[in-house]
Amino acid sequence: VNPTEYDCLLVCTRKTEAVVALCEARKAVMSALGVDTAGMGGDGGRGGVGGSTELPVELSRAFTYQAGANVTKLMVFTRLDNGEVDTTISDAPAAAPS
């Protein structure tokens, strides 16, 4: 059992390699199932990992995620002078009403 905000990818020191492995595994499974993944996402030329036939992934220094039905969190990664990466998780700013 993992705590609510625990994520194996978060504590992984080789995040890029882990994401690439996940993308490759998905592509292999989809191919084995005979599923044509053409047009199912991709980075659209934005520089993310993967092409037009792969799992859409965008690498970023920050992202938001739904931690609960009414809870949105902001995760920010900052590279420190010593090369380590600091991770900060905070409540995301409330969206402006539309």
Side-chain angles (χ1 to χ4, degrees):
V1 176
N2 294 328
T4 304
E5 291 189 8
Y6 183 85
D7 186 329
C8 293
L9 194 54
L10 175 62
V11 298
C12 176
T13 59
R14 299 177 68 184
K15 290 173 183 59
T16 302
E17 292 88 343
V19 169
V20 169
L22 289 170
C23 290
E24 289 174 353
R26 177 191 182 264
K27 186 175 181 180
V29 167
M30 298 300 269
S31 177
L33 293 173
V35 176
D36 179 11
T37 58
M40 288 182 63
D43 70 352
R46 293 187 305 268
V49 174
S52 62
T53 63
E54 298 178 2
L55 183 66
V57 175
E58 186 174 329
L59 302 177
S60 176
R61 295 180 194 262
F63 64 90
T64 58
Y65 67 97
Q66 288 296 131
N70 298 315
V71 181
T72 303
K73 296 287 187 173
L74 172 66
M75 184 171 294
V76 179
F77 302 98
T78 307
R79 175 136 345 248
L80 304 175
D81 291 337
N82 65 2
E84 296 288 319
V85 176
D86 181 51
T87 304
T88 305
I89 303 172
S90 60
D91 292 329
S98 27

